[in-house]
Every structure is written in structure tokens, then in C-alpha cells.
Amino acid sequence: MKDLNDLYYFAKVIEYGGFSAASNELMLTKSLLSRRVAELEKRLGVKLLNRTTRQISITEVGKIYYQHCRAMLIEAEAADEAMQMLSAEPTGTVKVSCPTNLLHINISQMLNKFLMQYPKVKLHIEATNRKVDLINERYDVAIRIRPLPLTDSDLIVRDLAISKQYIVASPDLVNQRFKLQSLDELHHWPILMMESFAPEYHWNLFNQHNDHYYFKCEPRLTTTDLVALHSATLQGLGVAKLPELISSEDLKTGRLVKIIPEWEPKPELIHLAYTSRRGQLPSVKALIDFLVEEFRTNQTT
């Protein structure tokens, strides 16, 4: 088997500029280093160094070989660093962005639980619905919810859950009106939307055959707050598109009903986005693994 120490000794001789200097730094005899490099040359069948009584110089072949040896050492050092980081206790500040409504529904409780489990970790949570720039704004993790399929990105993505969406209304509102026979009749119902102020509003709806219906309307209420939209829907003020995360219990208890169950918006993917797995701080890795496990547990219970 090849002795990788020979590659290490050769690289250090080049790095320190000679056998004597390398011998002092490595605390090995000069004769040992010289012999090991000579054995390496013999095994490779090439001359890596030009030797004189006063100095050494690297050959062209030696330069090429040195680059590969140096790359090997960098990877070995990175491997050691990764193991040290994995074994280290999570500590320090983790900067996270999360959509405001998702934070209110369930993420904030998860993050509180995380802080209790990891007392040496600090969290900075930016509640925002905009797509943050993880690199330039120095975020460690972004929690996002986006329609499928996701657009191409250089970021690492970890799936958390699929969030279905339903068109719902209160039973009182439904009882006041006629039963819907077609989607076109929905234009006669009051509509509530979670949207920023805009010139026009619409929903994209799909059936089981993936047929698309573009529902354009003039909503009675628009808001960027999901809690306010949910409350208005429960009070019978109109029809709304609500995510399963906030409407599932209402549908089970009958406080809300689906009014056109055969037509639904596309589901969205709740996911984590971050820049790289390599060199990841223990605190960041701990948070990512924690959130993945929390969502997995919630889906199975």
C-alpha cells in the first residue's frame, strides 16, 4: 500500500524550502526526510527534486506532483476540521429569515423549543416575506414557502413539508347563498385575499386533471396578514384561499368548509435554503437537523 506520509514529507520540503528547514519544523531528521523523498521518486520513476550540496530545486514534474500533494493535504485538513466542528457543542448566533405568517403558525414554537434544547445558541429571526440574499445579507438559513416546482438555484435545499391550499368559507356564508354549480358563479361571492395592494387580483386553480382556471376578481378584503384573513373567513365575510396549516382544524370541526373541492391552488413546498454543507457551524447544522425532524414528527402524529 502507498505510504501517504511520503507525499506529506515531499510537500513540506517544498513548502519550507529545503530538507533542513523542513527537518526543524517537523522535528524529524534530515536524513529521514531525504530518504523518504528518494523512495518516493523511485516508486514514481521520476525525478521530483534537483539536489546539489548547497540547495535543492523542484523539477517541472515535481511542480505538478506538488500541486496534487498540496490539494491532498488541504482536503485532509478540511476533513479534520469538519470532524472537530461536528464534535463541538453548538454555540454562537444563527441568523434566520422566515415568512411572517409561517412564523406565527408553527415555526416560532419550534424555534423556542430549539433554544431550550441548545442553551448556548442564540437566534436572530428576521420575519419577512421577501426573498433574502443569503450570501450578501449574511443569513445562515432561510425558511421559505414557494410554489412547486422551485426555480433553479445554487443554494442547498432541504424539504420540510408540502403545504396544501384550499378555497374555503364559513358554513353561515354558504347557507346564505346558493350551491356553486360552476367556477364562474364564484364571481358573485365576496372574495378575501392575502395579497399586497395591486391593480388586479386572481387565483390560479387546478383540478385533478391539471386543468387550469384563471379566476380574476375584485376582492372585498386584501391583507398581507394570514391571521386577519383567517379571522375574516371564520366570521363569514367571504371566500378565501387558506393553507392547510391554518385551516385543517377548522375543516375537521366544520367551522370552515371547502366550497369547490374539485378545484384547488397548487401546493407549496416549505423548505430550508442555505449556502453550503461544507464548513457548516455546529449551531447551523443543529438548527437544520432540528427543523427537519420537527416537521417529520408533526407529519406522522
Side-chain angles (χ1 to χ4, degrees):
M1 182 177 180
K2 298 175 182 178
D3 192 339
L4 297 181
N5 283 324
D6 291 344
L7 282 70
Y8 171 77
Y9 295 145
F10 168 68
K12 291 303 179 182
V13 168
I14 301 303
E15 182 177 334
Y16 293 120
F19 288 102
S20 296
S23 173
N24 293 331
E25 292 291 337
L26 301 178
M27 290 185 292
L28 296 171
T29 64
K30 180 179 176 181
S31 60
L32 173 63
L33 289 177
S34 180
R35 178 171 56 82
R36 296 296 291 266
V37 172
E39 290 175 356
L40 177 62
E41 289 177 314
K42 182 178 179 181
R43 180 173 64 79
L44 295 173
V46 296
K47 193 174 184 180
L48 301 174
L49 298 173
N50 291 315
R51 297 172 175 83
T52 67
T53 55
R54 294 188 177 183
Q55 64 180 11
I56 65 166
S57 62
I58 189 169
T59 65
E60 289 301 317
V61 173
K63 291 178 182 178
I64 296 172
Y65 196 68
Y66 171 72
Q67 294 301 322
H68 289 283
C69 291
R70 183 62 189 142
M72 178 199 72
L73 294 179
I74 291 173
E75 286 298 323
E77 290 166 1
D80 284 348
E81 180 184 344
M83 293 304 100
Q84 291 170 4
M85 293 183 72
L86 287 174
S87 61
E89 183 179 3
T91 185
T93 301
V94 183
K95 187 178 179 183
V96 183
S97 76
C98 181
T100 305
N101 293 317
L102 194 59
L103 189 67
H104 290 167
I105 293 173
N106 60 357
I107 296 293
S108 61
Q109 294 91 333
M110 293 182 182
L111 296 178
N112 292 341
K113 184 177 177 182
F114 173 81
L115 287 173
M116 294 176 66
Q117 187 169 326
Y118 295 93
K120 293 187 177 180
V121 177
K122 300 175 183 178
L123 293 180
H124 173 74
I125 310 300
E126 194 77 20
T128 177
N129 294 324
R130 69 182 179 85
K131 189 175 181 179
V132 301
D133 185 334
L134 274 80
I135 297 175
N136 292 325
E137 297 183 58
R138 299 183 181 277
Y139 282 91
D140 296 298
V141 182
I143 304 170
R144 292 176 174 171
I145 179 166
R146 296 283 187 272
L148 291 169
L150 299 180
T151 55
D152 292 338
S153 172
D154 294 332
L155 300 175
I156 306 295
V157 172
R158 288 284 297 275
D159 297 353
L160 294 176
I162 295 293
S163 174
K164 293 184 178 180
Q165 302 180 88
Y166 305 121
I167 305 301
V168 298
S170 72
D172 289 342
L173 179 65
V174 174
N175 292 334
Q176 293 172 14
R177 294 176 171 271
F178 53 85
K179 183 178 180 181
L180 286 176
Q181 300 297 322
S182 69
L183 275 174
D184 288 336
E185 295 177 357
L186 189 58
H187 288 93
H188 303 295
W189 289 56
I191 303 299
L192 316 176
M193 283 193 169
M194 192 179 77
E195 296 285 350
S196 299
F197 190 76
E200 61 177 49
Y201 303 89
H202 72 276
W203 287 332
N204 288 305
L205 304 176
F206 300 85
N207 62 15
Q208 60 180 349
H209 304 295
N210 207 35
D211 296 325
H212 176 219
Y213 184 87
Y214 184 89
F215 176 71
K216 186 178 178 181
C217 65
E218 296 182 6
R220 186 181 182 193
L221 169 70
T222 57
T223 177
T224 57
D225 186 86
L226 186 60
V227 175
L229 180 68
H230 180 224
S231 176
T233 310
L234 288 172
Q235 292 182 41
L237 296 178
V239 176
K241 178 181 73 173
L242 290 177
E244 183 181 27
L245 286 172
I246 200 171
S247 62
S248 58
E249 286 301 315
D250 299 317
L251 291 168
K252 289 178 183 177
T253 58
R255 292 191 296 266
L256 292 175
V257 295
K258 298 179 185 179
I259 63 168
I260 44 171
E262 63 274 17
W263 290 89
E264 294 180 352
K266 286 283 189 182
E268 296 180 321
L269 179 67
I270 304 173
H271 61 282
L272 302 173
Y274 47 98
T275 55
S276 175
R277 291 189 180 95
R278 184 169 180 177
Q280 201 172 73
L281 293 173
S283 54
V284 176
K285 184 180 185 304
L287 177 61
I288 291 170
D289 292 343
F290 177 86
L291 289 174
V292 170
E293 180 60 23
E294 279 293 297
F295 272 90
R296 188 194 67 79
T297 302
N298 289 345
Q299 288 174 339
T300 56
T301 56

mmCIF file of all heavy atoms in Angstrom, residues 118-159:
data_model
loop_
_atom_site.group_PDB
_atom_site.id
_atom_site.type_symbol
_atom_site.label_atom_id
_atom_site.label_comp_id
_atom_site.label_asym_id
_atom_site.label_seq_id
_atom_site.Cartn_x
_atom_site.Cartn_y
_atom_site.Cartn_z
ATOM 1 N N TYR A 118 -30.838 23.847 23.073
ATOM 2 C CA TYR A 118 -29.451 24.274 22.851
ATOM 3 C C TYR A 118 -29.224 25.618 23.547
ATOM 4 O O TYR A 118 -29.309 26.685 22.915
ATOM 5 C CB TYR A 118 -29.159 24.376 21.361
ATOM 6 C CG TYR A 118 -29.214 23.056 20.635
ATOM 7 C CD1 TYR A 118 -30.380 22.622 20.012
ATOM 8 C CD2 TYR A 118 -28.097 22.224 20.589
ATOM 9 C CE1 TYR A 118 -30.435 21.396 19.352
ATOM 10 C CE2 TYR A 118 -28.138 21.003 19.932
ATOM 11 C CZ TYR A 118 -29.309 20.606 19.326
ATOM 12 O OH TYR A 118 -29.347 19.390 18.675
ATOM 13 N N PRO A 119 -28.924 25.608 24.843
ATOM 14 C CA PRO A 119 -28.852 26.859 25.617
ATOM 15 C C PRO A 119 -27.715 27.789 25.223
ATOM 16 O O PRO A 119 -27.748 28.974 25.562
ATOM 17 C CB PRO A 119 -28.674 26.358 27.059
ATOM 18 C CG PRO A 119 -28.119 24.965 26.931
ATOM 19 C CD PRO A 119 -28.721 24.411 25.677
ATOM 20 N N LYS A 120 -26.695 27.293 24.511
ATOM 21 C CA LYS A 120 -25.567 28.145 24.133
ATOM 22 C C LYS A 120 -25.736 28.767 22.751
ATOM 23 O O LYS A 120 -24.858 29.488 22.284
ATOM 24 C CB LYS A 120 -24.257 27.346 24.190
ATOM 25 C CG LYS A 120 -23.860 26.940 25.597
ATOM 26 C CD LYS A 120 -22.487 26.305 25.634
ATOM 27 C CE LYS A 120 -22.067 25.956 27.056
ATOM 28 N NZ LYS A 120 -20.718 25.342 27.105
ATOM 29 N N VAL A 121 -26.847 28.489 22.089
ATOM 30 C CA VAL A 121 -27.114 29.038 20.753
ATOM 31 C C VAL A 121 -28.036 30.250 20.878
ATOM 32 O O VAL A 121 -28.995 30.238 21.648
ATOM 33 C CB VAL A 121 -27.750 27.984 19.828
ATOM 34 C CG1 VAL A 121 -28.078 28.603 18.466
ATOM 35 C CG2 VAL A 121 -26.809 26.798 19.645
ATOM 36 N N LYS A 122 -27.738 31.285 20.104
ATOM 37 C CA LYS A 122 -28.598 32.458 20.001
ATOM 38 C C LYS A 122 -29.196 32.496 18.595
ATOM 39 O O LYS A 122 -28.531 32.139 17.626
ATOM 40 C CB LYS A 122 -27.799 33.741 20.250
ATOM 41 C CG LYS A 122 -27.136 33.799 21.627
ATOM 42 C CD LYS A 122 -26.274 35.051 21.741
ATOM 43 C CE LYS A 122 -25.542 35.084 23.077
ATOM 44 N NZ LYS A 122 -24.650 36.275 23.174
ATOM 45 N N LEU A 123 -30.425 32.942 18.498
ATOM 46 C CA LEU A 123 -31.094 33.049 17.202
ATOM 47 C C LEU A 123 -31.459 34.506 16.923
ATOM 48 O O LEU A 123 -31.944 35.209 17.809
ATOM 49 C CB LEU A 123 -32.371 32.201 17.170
ATOM 50 C CG LEU A 123 -32.225 30.687 17.240
ATOM 51 C CD1 LEU A 123 -33.603 30.025 17.207
ATOM 52 C CD2 LEU A 123 -31.368 30.155 16.093
ATOM 53 N N HIS A 124 -31.217 34.932 15.688
ATOM 54 C CA HIS A 124 -31.776 36.189 15.200
ATOM 55 C C HIS A 124 -32.754 35.826 14.094
ATOM 56 O O HIS A 124 -32.363 35.316 13.039
ATOM 57 C CB HIS A 124 -30.712 37.137 14.655
ATOM 58 C CG HIS A 124 -31.317 38.351 14.008
ATOM 59 N ND1 HIS A 124 -31.884 39.369 14.741
ATOM 60 C CD2 HIS A 124 -31.507 38.686 12.710
ATOM 61 C CE1 HIS A 124 -32.370 40.282 13.919
ATOM 62 N NE2 HIS A 124 -32.157 39.882 12.678
ATOM 63 N N ILE A 125 -34.044 36.065 14.330
ATOM 64 C CA ILE A 125 -35.087 35.689 13.380
ATOM 65 C C ILE A 125 -35.606 36.937 12.689
ATOM 66 O O ILE A 125 -36.144 37.843 13.335
ATOM 67 C CB ILE A 125 -36.256 34.972 14.091
ATOM 68 C CG1 ILE A 125 -35.741 33.841 14.975
ATOM 69 C CG2 ILE A 125 -37.254 34.456 13.058
ATOM 70 C CD1 ILE A 125 -34.974 32.772 14.227
ATOM 71 N N GLU A 126 -35.445 36.986 11.379
ATOM 72 C CA GLU A 126 -35.960 38.092 10.568
ATOM 73 C C GLU A 126 -37.283 37.646 9.965
ATOM 74 O O GLU A 126 -37.321 36.752 9.109
ATOM 75 C CB GLU A 126 -34.968 38.438 9.469
ATOM 76 C CG GLU A 126 -35.235 39.759 8.800
ATOM 77 C CD GLU A 126 -34.794 40.956 9.635
ATOM 78 O OE1 GLU A 126 -33.956 40.794 10.545
ATOM 79 O OE2 GLU A 126 -35.304 42.048 9.359
ATOM 80 N N ALA A 127 -38.390 38.227 10.446
ATOM 81 C CA ALA A 127 -39.712 37.898 9.922
ATOM 82 C C ALA A 127 -39.958 38.735 8.668
ATOM 83 O O ALA A 127 -40.170 39.943 8.756
ATOM 84 C CB ALA A 127 -40.784 38.168 10.968
ATOM 85 N N THR A 128 -39.894 38.103 7.514
ATOM 86 C CA THR A 128 -40.045 38.836 6.258
ATOM 87 C C THR A 128 -40.581 37.905 5.177
ATOM 88 O O THR A 128 -40.255 36.720 5.152
ATOM 89 C CB THR A 128 -38.701 39.436 5.799
ATOM 90 O OG1 THR A 128 -38.865 40.081 4.539
ATOM 91 C CG2 THR A 128 -37.620 38.365 5.671
ATOM 92 N N ASN A 129 -41.394 38.458 4.300
ATOM 93 C CA ASN A 129 -41.933 37.676 3.190
ATOM 94 C C ASN A 129 -41.108 37.844 1.912
ATOM 95 O O ASN A 129 -41.404 37.213 0.902
ATOM 96 C CB ASN A 129 -43.390 38.079 2.912
ATOM 97 C CG ASN A 129 -44.303 37.701 4.064
ATOM 98 O OD1 ASN A 129 -44.113 36.667 4.700
ATOM 99 N ND2 ASN A 129 -45.277 38.547 4.355
ATOM 100 N N ARG A 130 -40.083 38.686 1.952
ATOM 101 C CA ARG A 130 -39.257 38.868 0.761
ATOM 102 C C ARG A 130 -38.207 37.749 0.683
ATOM 103 O O ARG A 130 -37.866 37.111 1.676
ATOM 104 C CB ARG A 130 -38.571 40.232 0.769
ATOM 105 C CG ARG A 130 -37.500 40.383 1.819
ATOM 106 C CD ARG A 130 -36.885 41.769 1.809
ATOM 107 N NE ARG A 130 -35.865 41.900 2.845
ATOM 108 C CZ ARG A 130 -34.600 41.539 2.690
ATOM 109 N NH1 ARG A 130 -34.179 41.050 1.520
ATOM 110 N NH2 ARG A 130 -33.737 41.670 3.671
ATOM 111 N N LYS A 131 -37.679 37.530 -0.500
ATOM 112 C CA LYS A 131 -36.655 36.513 -0.720
ATOM 113 C C LYS A 131 -35.301 37.125 -0.413
ATOM 114 O O LYS A 131 -34.758 37.885 -1.200
ATOM 115 C CB LYS A 131 -36.709 36.019 -2.174
ATOM 116 C CG LYS A 131 -35.825 34.812 -2.457
ATOM 117 C CD LYS A 131 -36.035 34.324 -3.881
ATOM 118 C CE LYS A 131 -35.186 33.093 -4.175
ATOM 119 N NZ LYS A 131 -35.407 32.600 -5.565
ATOM 120 N N VAL A 132 -34.736 36.783 0.734
ATOM 121 C CA VAL A 132 -33.483 37.399 1.163
ATOM 122 C C VAL A 132 -32.309 36.814 0.379
ATOM 123 O O VAL A 132 -32.358 35.687 -0.115
ATOM 124 C CB VAL A 132 -33.248 37.197 2.674
ATOM 125 C CG1 VAL A 132 -34.394 37.792 3.479
ATOM 126 C CG2 VAL A 132 -33.053 35.724 3.022
ATOM 127 N N ASP A 133 -31.246 37.595 0.283
ATOM 128 C CA ASP A 133 -29.994 37.164 -0.346
ATOM 129 C C ASP A 133 -29.109 36.589 0.758
ATOM 130 O O ASP A 133 -28.518 37.332 1.545
ATOM 131 C CB ASP A 133 -29.316 38.352 -1.025
ATOM 132 C CG ASP A 133 -28.058 37.966 -1.800
ATOM 133 O OD1 ASP A 133 -27.418 36.948 -1.442
ATOM 134 O OD2 ASP A 133 -27.695 38.686 -2.743
ATOM 135 N N LEU A 134 -29.013 35.261 0.831
ATOM 136 C CA LEU A 134 -28.311 34.625 1.936
ATOM 137 C C LEU A 134 -26.850 35.023 2.007
ATOM 138 O O LEU A 134 -26.310 35.223 3.104
ATOM 139 C CB LEU A 134 -28.420 33.094 1.832
ATOM 140 C CG LEU A 134 -29.669 32.477 2.459
ATOM 141 C CD1 LEU A 134 -30.863 32.619 1.523
ATOM 142 C CD2 LEU A 134 -29.453 31.020 2.802
ATOM 143 N N ILE A 135 -26.204 35.141 0.846
ATOM 144 C CA ILE A 135 -24.764 35.411 0.834
ATOM 145 C C ILE A 135 -24.478 36.869 1.190
ATOM 146 O O ILE A 135 -23.737 37.165 2.126
ATOM 147 C CB ILE A 135 -24.163 35.060 -0.538
ATOM 148 C CG1 ILE A 135 -24.318 33.549 -0.816
ATOM 149 C CG2 ILE A 135 -22.693 35.461 -0.606
ATOM 150 C CD1 ILE A 135 -23.873 33.130 -2.189
ATOM 151 N N ASN A 136 -25.058 37.800 0.441
ATOM 152 C CA ASN A 136 -24.740 39.212 0.646
ATOM 153 C C ASN A 136 -25.326 39.771 1.940
ATOM 154 O O ASN A 136 -24.780 40.716 2.519
ATOM 155 C CB ASN A 136 -25.227 40.032 -0.546
ATOM 156 C CG ASN A 136 -24.443 39.719 -1.815
ATOM 157 O OD1 ASN A 136 -23.243 39.461 -1.763
ATOM 158 N ND2 ASN A 136 -25.117 39.715 -2.957
ATOM 159 N N GLU A 137 -26.444 39.200 2.405
ATOM 160 C CA GLU A 137 -27.043 39.675 3.644
ATOM 161 C C GLU A 137 -26.629 38.824 4.839
ATOM 162 O O GLU A 137 -27.104 39.057 5.959
ATOM 163 C CB GLU A 137 -28.566 39.695 3.506
ATOM 164 C CG GLU A 137 -29.062 40.657 2.443
ATOM 165 C CD GLU A 137 -30.579 40.704 2.369
ATOM 166 O OE1 GLU A 137 -31.211 41.016 3.393
ATOM 167 O OE2 GLU A 137 -31.129 40.390 1.300
ATOM 168 N N ARG A 138 -25.768 37.834 4.574
ATOM 169 C CA ARG A 138 -25.161 37.030 5.644
ATOM 170 C C ARG A 138 -26.194 36.287 6.503
ATOM 171 O O ARG A 138 -26.130 36.299 7.740
ATOM 172 C CB ARG A 138 -24.258 37.890 6.526
ATOM 173 C CG ARG A 138 -23.100 38.520 5.757
ATOM 174 C CD ARG A 138 -22.185 39.312 6.670
ATOM 175 N NE ARG A 138 -21.097 39.917 5.945
ATOM 176 C CZ ARG A 138 -19.970 39.304 5.606
ATOM 177 N NH1 ARG A 138 -19.787 38.042 5.946
ATOM 178 N NH2 ARG A 138 -19.010 39.933 4.938
ATOM 179 N N TYR A 139 -27.154 35.652 5.841
ATOM 180 C CA TYR A 139 -28.070 34.770 6.553
ATOM 181 C C TYR A 139 -27.493 33.350 6.563
ATOM 182 O O TYR A 139 -26.905 32.904 5.580
ATOM 183 C CB TYR A 139 -29.443 34.731 5.872
ATOM 184 C CG TYR A 139 -30.300 35.938 6.173
ATOM 185 C CD1 TYR A 139 -30.275 37.062 5.356
ATOM 186 C CD2 TYR A 139 -31.133 35.959 7.283
ATOM 187 C CE1 TYR A 139 -31.059 38.177 5.631
ATOM 188 C CE2 TYR A 139 -31.927 37.069 7.569
ATOM 189 C CZ TYR A 139 -31.883 38.164 6.738
ATOM 190 O OH TYR A 139 -32.654 39.256 7.015
ATOM 191 N N ASP A 140 -27.664 32.656 7.669
ATOM 192 C CA ASP A 140 -27.214 31.267 7.755
ATOM 193 C C ASP A 140 -28.237 30.318 7.133
ATOM 194 O O ASP A 140 -27.873 29.363 6.453
ATOM 195 C CB ASP A 140 -26.967 30.870 9.213
ATOM 196 C CG ASP A 140 -25.835 31.669 9.835
ATOM 197 O OD1 ASP A 140 -24.700 31.553 9.344
ATOM 198 O OD2 ASP A 140 -26.085 32.404 10.808
ATOM 199 N N VAL A 141 -29.509 30.595 7.376
ATOM 200 C CA VAL A 141 -30.591 29.725 6.889
ATOM 201 C C VAL A 141 -31.788 30.595 6.525
ATOM 202 O O VAL A 141 -32.095 31.564 7.226
ATOM 203 C CB VAL A 141 -31.029 28.700 7.967
ATOM 204 C CG1 VAL A 141 -32.127 27.785 7.417
ATOM 205 C CG2 VAL A 141 -29.853 27.873 8.454
ATOM 206 N N ALA A 142 -32.470 30.231 5.441
ATOM 207 C CA ALA A 142 -33.743 30.866 5.093
ATOM 208 C C ALA A 142 -34.823 29.791 5.094
ATOM 209 O O ALA A 142 -34.661 28.742 4.485
ATOM 210 C CB ALA A 142 -33.668 31.538 3.723
ATOM 211 N N ILE A 143 -35.903 30.046 5.823
ATOM 212 C CA ILE A 143 -37.081 29.181 5.778
ATOM 213 C C ILE A 143 -38.013 29.789 4.746
ATOM 214 O O ILE A 143 -38.374 30.963 4.839
ATOM 215 C CB ILE A 143 -37.764 29.096 7.149
ATOM 216 C CG1 ILE A 143 -36.764 28.624 8.209
ATOM 217 C CG2 ILE A 143 -38.971 28.162 7.099
ATOM 218 C CD1 ILE A 143 -37.277 28.744 9.632
ATOM 219 N N ARG A 144 -38.383 29.004 3.759
ATOM 220 C CA ARG A 144 -39.166 29.544 2.647
ATOM 221 C C ARG A 144 -40.366 28.664 2.342
ATOM 222 O O ARG A 144 -40.368 27.459 2.640
ATOM 223 C CB ARG A 144 -38.289 29.668 1.388
ATOM 224 C CG ARG A 144 -37.210 30.739 1.520
ATOM 225 C CD ARG A 144 -36.300 30.776 0.320
ATOM 226 N NE ARG A 144 -35.355 31.899 0.386
ATOM 227 C CZ ARG A 144 -34.338 32.080 -0.423
ATOM 228 N NH1 ARG A 144 -34.102 31.193 -1.382
ATOM 229 N NH2 ARG A 144 -33.539 33.120 -0.287
ATOM 230 N N ILE A 145 -41.359 29.257 1.726
ATOM 231 C CA ILE A 145 -42.505 28.518 1.204
ATOM 232 C C ILE A 145 -42.764 29.037 -0.196
ATOM 233 O O ILE A 145 -43.013 30.227 -0.397
ATOM 234 C CB ILE A 145 -43.731 28.646 2.131
ATOM 235 C CG1 ILE A 145 -44.929 27.892 1.552
ATOM 236 C CG2 ILE A 145 -44.072 30.100 2.428
ATOM 237 C CD1 ILE A 145 -46.051 27.690 2.536
ATOM 238 N N ARG A 146 -42.656 28.140 -1.190
ATOM 239 C CA ARG A 146 -42.744 28.530 -2.592
ATOM 240 C C ARG A 146 -43.583 27.513 -3.361
ATOM 241 O O ARG A 146 -43.591 26.313 -3.035
ATOM 242 C CB ARG A 146 -41.350 28.594 -3.227
ATOM 243 C CG ARG A 146 -40.428 29.648 -2.630
ATOM 244 C CD ARG A 146 -40.773 31.050 -3.107
ATOM 245 N NE ARG A 146 -39.790 32.039 -2.663
ATOM 246 C CZ ARG A 146 -39.853 32.685 -1.511
ATOM 247 N NH1 ARG A 146 -40.842 32.431 -0.691
ATOM 248 N NH2 ARG A 146 -38.930 33.572 -1.173
ATOM 249 N N PRO A 147 -44.264 27.972 -4.418
ATOM 250 C CA PRO A 147 -44.996 27.031 -5.274
ATOM 251 C C PRO A 147 -44.027 26.076 -5.975
ATOM 252 O O PRO A 147 -42.881 26.442 -6.273
ATOM 253 C CB PRO A 147 -45.705 27.939 -6.288
ATOM 254 C CG PRO A 147 -45.682 29.299 -5.680
ATOM 255 C CD PRO A 147 -44.452 29.369 -4.837
ATOM 256 N N LEU A 148 -44.476 24.880 -6.231
ATOM 257 C CA LEU A 148 -43.693 23.907 -6.994
ATOM 258 C C LEU A 148 -43.925 24.115 -8.491
ATOM 259 O O LEU A 148 -45.021 24.503 -8.900
ATOM 260 C CB LEU A 148 -44.082 22.490 -6.580
ATOM 261 C CG LEU A 148 -43.672 22.091 -5.163
ATOM 262 C CD1 LEU A 148 -44.348 20.777 -4.770
ATOM 263 C CD2 LEU A 148 -42.161 21.952 -5.064
ATOM 264 N N PRO A 149 -42.920 23.830 -9.336
ATOM 265 C CA PRO A 149 -41.558 23.438 -8.971
ATOM 266 C C PRO A 149 -40.721 24.650 -8.594
ATOM 267 O O PRO A 149 -40.984 25.758 -9.042
ATOM 268 C CB PRO A 149 -41.046 22.781 -10.250
ATOM 269 C CG PRO A 149 -41.753 23.504 -11.355
ATOM 270 C CD PRO A 149 -43.139 23.835 -10.811
ATOM 271 N N LEU A 150 -39.690 24.433 -7.770
ATOM 272 C CA LEU A 150 -38.800 25.518 -7.389
ATOM 273 C C LEU A 150 -37.915 25.907 -8.570
ATOM 274 O O LEU A 150 -37.555 25.070 -9.387
ATOM 275 C CB LEU A 150 -37.917 25.085 -6.216
ATOM 276 C CG LEU A 150 -38.627 24.705 -4.910
ATOM 277 C CD1 LEU A 150 -37.591 24.304 -3.866
ATOM 278 C CD2 LEU A 150 -39.487 25.850 -4.397
ATOM 279 N N THR A 151 -37.576 27.184 -8.638
ATOM 280 C CA THR A 151 -36.671 27.640 -9.694
ATOM 281 C C THR A 151 -35.251 27.195 -9.364
ATOM 282 O O THR A 151 -34.909 26.954 -8.208
ATOM 283 C CB THR A 151 -36.718 29.168 -9.820
ATOM 284 O OG1 THR A 151 -36.427 29.755 -8.536
ATOM 285 C CG2 THR A 151 -38.095 29.627 -10.279
ATOM 286 N N ASP A 152 -34.418 27.075 -10.393
ATOM 287 C CA ASP A 152 -33.033 26.648 -10.205
ATOM 288 C C ASP A 152 -32.295 27.620 -9.287
ATOM 289 O O ASP A 152 -32.494 28.826 -9.332
ATOM 290 C CB ASP A 152 -32.313 26.567 -11.549
ATOM 291 C CG ASP A 152 -32.852 25.445 -12.426
ATOM 292 O OD1 ASP A 152 -33.440 24.510 -11.863
ATOM 293 O OD2 ASP A 152 -32.682 25.507 -13.655
ATOM 294 N N SER A 153 -31.423 27.068 -8.456
ATOM 295 C CA SER A 153 -30.677 27.897 -7.520
ATOM 296 C C SER A 153 -29.373 27.206 -7.169
ATOM 297 O O SER A 153 -29.255 25.992 -7.240
ATOM 298 C CB SER A 153 -31.512 28.132 -6.253
ATOM 299 O OG SER A 153 -30.742 28.770 -5.259
ATOM 300 N N ASP A 154 -28.381 28.013 -6.773
ATOM 301 C CA ASP A 154 -27.109 27.469 -6.321
ATOM 302 C C ASP A 154 -27.158 27.085 -4.845
ATOM 303 O O ASP A 154 -26.187 26.562 -4.312
ATOM 304 C CB ASP A 154 -25.991 28.497 -6.531
ATOM 305 C CG ASP A 154 -25.737 28.762 -8.007
ATOM 306 O OD1 ASP A 154 -25.985 27.856 -8.820
ATOM 307 O OD2 ASP A 154 -25.297 29.873 -8.335
ATOM 308 N N LEU A 155 -28.289 27.332 -4.189
ATOM 309 C CA LEU A 155 -28.405 27.045 -2.767
ATOM 310 C C LEU A 155 -28.726 25.578 -2.521
ATOM 311 O O LEU A 155 -29.286 24.887 -3.368
ATOM 312 C CB LEU A 155 -29.507 27.912 -2.148
ATOM 313 C CG LEU A 155 -29.317 29.426 -2.253
ATOM 314 C CD1 LEU A 155 -30.548 30.138 -1.702
ATOM 315 C CD2 LEU A 155 -28.067 29.872 -1.506
ATOM 316 N N ILE A 156 -28.359 25.113 -1.314
ATOM 317 C CA ILE A 156 -28.762 23.787 -0.868
ATOM 318 C C ILE A 156 -30.192 23.891 -0.340
ATOM 319 O O ILE A 156 -30.528 24.824 0.398
ATOM 320 C CB ILE A 156 -27.839 23.272 0.254
ATOM 321 C CG1 ILE A 156 -26.372 23.331 -0.180
ATOM 322 C CG2 ILE A 156 -28.234 21.861 0.659
ATOM 323 C CD1 ILE A 156 -26.028 22.433 -1.327
ATOM 324 N N VAL A 157 -31.064 22.941 -0.705
ATOM 325 C CA VAL A 157 -32.465 22.964 -0.288
ATOM 326 C C VAL A 157 -32.789 21.689 0.486
ATOM 327 O O VAL A 157 -32.448 20.589 0.049
ATOM 328 C CB VAL A 157 -33.406 23.089 -1.506
ATOM 329 C CG1 VAL A 157 -34.864 22.905 -1.095
ATOM 330 C CG2 VAL A 157 -33.223 24.457 -2.175
ATOM 331 N N ARG A 158 -33.417 21.836 1.655
ATOM 332 C CA ARG A 158 -33.907 20.692 2.426
ATOM 333 C C ARG A 158 -35.416 20.821 2.557
ATOM 334 O O ARG A 158 -35.925 21.805 3.090
ATOM 335 C CB ARG A 158 -33.280 20.672 3.823
ATOM 336 C CG ARG A 158 -31.816 20.301 3.875
ATOM 337 C CD ARG A 158 -31.563 18.822 3.694
ATOM 338 N NE ARG A 158 -32.131 18.001 4.727
ATOM 339 C CZ ARG A 158 -31.548 17.725 5.903
ATOM 340 N NH1 ARG A 158 -30.359 18.266 6.177
ATOM 341 N NH2 ARG A 158 -32.126 16.947 6.790
ATOM 342 N N ASP A 159 -36.161 19.842 2.055
ATOM 343 C CA ASP A 159 -37.617 19.874 2.129
ATOM 344 C C ASP A 159 -38.089 19.681 3.573
ATOM 345 O O ASP A 159 -37.542 18.857 4.312
ATOM 346 C CB ASP A 159 -38.222 18.775 1.264
ATOM 347 C CG ASP A 159 -37.905 18.960 -0.214
ATOM 348 O OD1 ASP A 159 -37.328 20.004 -0.565
ATOM 349 O OD2 ASP A 159 -38.233 18.062 -1.011
#
